[in-house]
Amino acid sequence: MIKTILAQLKEFKLPSLLTPLCMIGEVLCEMIIPILMGKIVDNGIYGGDLGYIVRTGIMMIVIAVLGLFSGLGGAYFGSKASAGLARNLRKAMYDNIQTYSFANIDKFSTSGLVTRLTTDVTNIQNAYMMLLRMAMRAPASMIVAMIMSFIISPQLASVYLIAVVFLGVVMLLVMNSATKYFKAVFEKYDALNESVQENVSAIRVVKAYVREDHEISKFQKAANNIYLMFVKAESTVVKISPIMMGTVYVCILLISWLGAHMIVGGSLTTGELMSMLTYCQNILMSLMMLSMIFVMITMSEASAKRIAEVINEETSLKNPENPIFDVKDGSISFEHVDFAYKSDSKEPVLKDINIDIRSGETIGIIGGTGSAKSSLVNLISRLYDVTKGSLKVGGVDVRDYDMESLRNQVSVVLQKNVLFSGTIYENLRWGNKEATDEECKRAAELACADEFIKELPDGYDTYIEQGGTNVSGGQRQRLCIARALLKKPKILILDDSTSAVDTATDAKIRKAFANDIPDTTKIIIAQRISSVQSCDRIIVMDEGKINGFGTHEELLANNPIYREVYESQTGSSADADFDEKN
């Protein structure tokens, strides 16, 4: 964990080294001043030497200025190092997330990843800043003050030593008790972020169903859980303060009482006693800073583990040692394929799939909710790996391809249509960043998107809001189809991606595909029979198995499920539906 975090220092190693050096310089300057103050009292004031007072005073000013610049240097370099570490941690996590397979993404919730990229990294940044500055300054200050105290009076300094050992044991016990609360609190942050994310992304649904009160209640519950956990943690940590203050006051009283007797006995001067009391204050401040450091380390330990999990997570899908980069054609072959989302699943989602699809064919896939239609097509672009059997594209097992090369030849328009903030041109060029304006327009024409784009005030330069909220569902679907076409893929998969367009537009899109991209293998998942009946062949899915595979006419004649749904959608039977079992 620590190795993973510190590996992200990279170009900020030098500021990380200079920060503690500056802090040590500041401590040394601070520790010299009490000695000089004692000398002024003993040699200047009591000795009546004004010149000595002036010379020593000037020396104290010079040392104070040096200490000031050392402190400023520590603050500057510490800020640079901690902010740089935070930047690199976010980049390392984000870069690794981009390599994740769908299985890896399923392991981490979206809200959990957001918490790690924001709250957890901020905790590490603050803790690292404190470690560089306070974790070096506090022990150094305490050690130097202790050494100076022993030089002045070993007898009085032994009081400090006993107090420091006692407080150290108390701090360890208290922090150990508080650790479990700080570890749990960040899991509560995940729940809070999830509540916010769901509410903001689905705000229209919330308002449409007048569920604001429910969402507010859910958010308040998540926020209150964090509050209660922090109260428990802070209530444990705050116990240190009265113990520490009581111990220090006892030290001051003992030193004052013992010091007064020593002054009377002639073994200690007034200036030396004043220096000892000053060092007592330094030790008090150092112990308070150490307690803060322990709190930050305890909080950041949980964050560091969560961040390291994301950085060290290895994608479940990897390129082979000698990958194939050229996809010959769009032929697809499933050979006794089983698939399960989790290795320990009792039942696979897909069971013994055997299909051969010729390059350039248009294949329809139809089936009830939960029949694993999307799971089937997700395997083609290797978003998941098959659990058993073999899946070949262009005559080659998909596991033998370079993943980027394979996915560049398989365009997928998913069920959830996502557009990004930017112009229509910018959104379309996600399919091909080098596409010309003419190519973008041609793809839009094929997807029947050109007709509504021309009616927009700025045409293809119209700005799309985040998530495509300023266009309709059907328009979003057509833009996503156009974006996929710009890749000029060998395989095009439409995963229920024309459900929001009218049947006439759906028919135009299918006709355009047949005429303009005849060599591309087209797989269309749909709920409407009309969307797939003109396909070369149609797959009927039922509970993760192939229930039927053939032309529209063949399935009408031989497949009861297909026939019943066809009749229900054409009005011949009012009761049939995909989700009803025969």
Side-chain angles (χ1 to χ4, degrees):
M1 175 187 71
I2 295 175
K3 185 178 179 181
T4 299
I5 300 299
L6 294 182
Q8 301 306 319
L9 278 175
K10 298 178 181 177
E11 68 271 32
F12 298 101
K13 291 178 181 178
L14 182 59
S16 297
L17 178 63
L18 291 174
T19 302
L21 291 177
C22 288
M23 301 316 297
I24 290 173
E26 184 183 25
V27 167
L28 291 175
C29 292
E30 288 182 357
M31 293 302 106
I32 293 172
I33 288 176
I35 293 287
L36 295 178
M37 289 173 60
K39 295 290 186 183
I40 287 178
V41 172
D42 292 337
N43 301 331
I45 297 174
Y46 286 157
D49 188 346
L50 182 60
Y52 183 86
I53 295 174
V54 172
R55 289 192 302 273
T56 307
I58 293 172
M59 190 182 300
M60 289 173 64
I61 293 172
V62 172
I63 292 172
V65 171
L66 289 174
L68 173 64
F69 280 105
S70 294
L72 290 173
Y76 171 75
F77 291 120
S79 299
K80 187 173 182 179
S82 59
L85 175 63
R87 185 197 71 181
N88 289 347
L89 284 174
R90 288 193 177 97
K91 184 178 184 300
M93 280 195 289
Y94 193 81
D95 288 349
N96 201 40
I97 289 169
Q98 302 309 305
T99 69
Y100 284 0
S101 67
F102 277 21
N104 293 113
I105 294 172
D106 293 342
K107 179 179 176 181
F108 299 99
S109 67
T110 303
S111 58
L113 290 173
V114 171
T115 304
R116 286 167 166 84
L117 284 162
T118 52
T119 305
D120 286 326
V121 172
T122 300
N123 285 336
I124 295 296
Q125 179 178 348
N126 293 335
Y128 190 64
M129 164 72 89
M130 187 165 284
L131 281 171
L132 288 179
R133 297 185 64 198
M134 301 304 179
M136 181 58 68
R137 190 186 193 286
S141 179
M142 189 168 60
I143 291 169
V144 173
M146 193 71 70
I147 292 172
M148 292 295 190
S149 298
F150 270 97
I151 291 173
I152 295 171
S153 174
Q155 184 179 352
L156 291 180
S158 61
V159 176
Y160 292 154
L161 185 60
I162 294 170
V164 168
V165 173
F166 169 72
L167 288 173
V169 172
V170 171
M171 288 171 62
L172 287 175
L173 292 174
V174 172
M175 289 304 139
N176 186 54
S177 176
T179 300
K180 61 181 180 181
Y181 297 117
F182 285 120
K183 286 182 178 178
V185 77
F186 295 106
E187 296 177 4
K188 305 299 181 183
Y189 268 121
D190 290 351
L192 182 71
N193 282 338
E194 183 177 8
S195 175
V196 173
Q197 183 183 6
E198 283 186 347
N199 182 272
V200 173
S201 61
I203 192 66
R204 288 170 176 77
V205 178
V206 173
K207 290 187 176 298
Y209 284 86
V210 197
R211 296 285 284 175
E212 292 91 343
D213 290 342
H214 170 75
E215 289 296 312
I216 291 171
S217 175
K218 188 167 71 171
F219 177 83
Q220 287 177 340
K221 182 179 179 181
N224 192 54
N225 285 335
I226 294 176
Y227 161 74
L228 293 174
M229 199 63 68
F230 264 121
V231 167
K232 289 180 180 179
E234 296 294 344
S235 297
T236 304
V237 171
V238 80
K239 295 174 184 176
I240 294 175
S241 184
I243 297 172
M244 183 180 295
M245 294 300 294
T247 303
V248 170
Y249 288 144
V250 169
C251 287
I252 292 173
L253 289 173
L254 285 173
I255 290 169
S256 299
W257 185 74
L258 292 172
H261 280 76
M262 293 173 70
I263 289 173
V264 173
S267 59
L268 189 72
T269 67
T270 304
E272 288 173 338
L273 178 59
M274 187 176 71
S275 297
M276 290 292 290
L277 291 172
T278 303
Y279 287 132
C280 182
Q281 295 298 320
N282 284 328
I283 291 172
L284 166 63
M285 293 300 297
S286 298
L287 287 171
M288 290 180 66
M289 284 190 286
L290 280 174
S291 67
M292 293 171 60
I293 291 167
F294 273 109
V295 172
M296 287 302 301
I297 290 174
T298 304
M299 290 179 61
S300 62
E301 181 185 1
S303 294
K305 287 180 179 178
R306 288 158 56 83
I307 291 170
E309 285 176 356
V310 176
I311 294 175
N312 293 331
E313 177 77 8
E314 293 187 7
T315 177
S316 59
L317 303 180
K318 295 182 179 180
N319 271 341
E321 290 186 7
N322 298 301
I324 297 171
F325 292 91
D326 181 48
V327 180
K328 181 182 176 182
D329 56 42
S331 62
I332 304 167
S333 177
F334 288 82
E335 300 176 0
H336 301 287
V337 168
D338 283 4
F339 170 68
Y341 285 101
K342 295 182 179 179
S343 57
D344 57 352
S345 298
K346 294 181 180 179
E347 282 288 325
V349 176
L350 293 170
K351 308 167 188 114
D352 196 29
I353 304 297
N354 282 285
I355 306 172
D356 283 309
I357 299 171
R358 295 182 293 273
S359 182
E361 268 195 300
T362 300
I363 301 295
I365 302 179
I366 202 159
T369 303
S371 59
K373 303 184 296 296
S374 296
S375 299
L376 182 74
V377 297
N378 282 339
L379 299 177
I380 297 172
S381 56
R382 206 187 170 200
L383 297 177
Y384 294 95
D385 264 342
V386 300
T387 305
K388 183 180 177 183
S390 174
L391 168 58
K392 295 180 180 179
V393 170
V396 176
D397 193 303
V398 292
R399 290 168 289 194
D400 295 330
Y401 280 116
D402 171 71
M403 282 191 290
E404 185 175 338
S405 300
L406 173 66
R407 290 172 183 171
N408 274 331
Q409 295 302 326
V410 182
S411 258
V412 183
V413 184
L414 299 171
Q415 285 176 314
K416 185 177 180 181
N417 299 281
V418 177
L419 296 175
F420 300 88
S421 54
T423 64
I424 290 177
Y425 271 134
E426 289 170 345
N427 270 277
L428 293 177
R429 288 190 174 109
W430 272 72
N432 178 6
K433 61 183 179 181
E434 304 297 334
T436 64
D437 289 355
E438 289 70 24
E439 288 174 325
C440 290
K441 291 176 181 177
R442 179 56 183 160
E445 288 174 2
L446 290 176
C448 295
D450 184 65
E451 54 193 45
F452 81 81
I453 294 174
K454 288 179 179 178
E455 296 177 359
L456 296 173
D458 298 315
Y460 284 83
D461 291 312
T462 299
Y463 189 84
I464 300 294
E465 301 293 341
Q466 184 178 8
T469 55
N470 58 332
V471 291
S472 70
Q475 290 170 341
R476 278 200 302 273
Q477 286 187 337
R478 283 178 277 174
L479 287 173
C480 289
I481 293 171
R483 181 174 64 190
L485 289 172
L486 273 175
K487 289 181 71 173
K488 299 178 180 177
K490 288 186 169 66
I491 299 172
L492 175 65
I493 299 172
L494 304 180
D495 188 354
D496 204 17
S497 51
T498 57
S499 57
V501 301
D502 58 84
T503 52
T505 303
D506 186 13
K508 286 182 183 178
I509 293 172
R510 286 185 281 107
K511 183 178 179 181
F513 287 171
N515 295 334
D516 291 85
I517 50 171
D519 296 329
T520 298
T521 302
K522 297 163 283 292
I523 299 177
I524 303 171
I525 297 176
Q527 293 293 334
R528 294 187 300 224
I529 294 287
S530 60
S531 296
V532 298
Q533 69 180 50
S534 61
C535 293
D536 297 321
R537 288 186 290 172
I538 302 166
I539 299 170
V540 179
M541 297 289 298
D542 184 39
E543 295 184 344
K545 297 179 180 179
I546 304 296
N547 184 271
F549 187 29
T551 64
H552 171 68
E553 291 75 15
E554 290 171 345
L555 292 173
L556 275 179
N558 303 317
N559 189 273
I561 294 179
Y562 187 86
R563 182 172 58 252
E564 191 169 352
V565 176
Y566 173 77
E567 290 172 352
S568 73
Q569 293 185 4
T570 57
S572 301
S573 173
D575 299 324
D577 185 69
F578 269 118
D579 295 326
E580 290 188 7
K581 302 301 176 186
N582 294 292

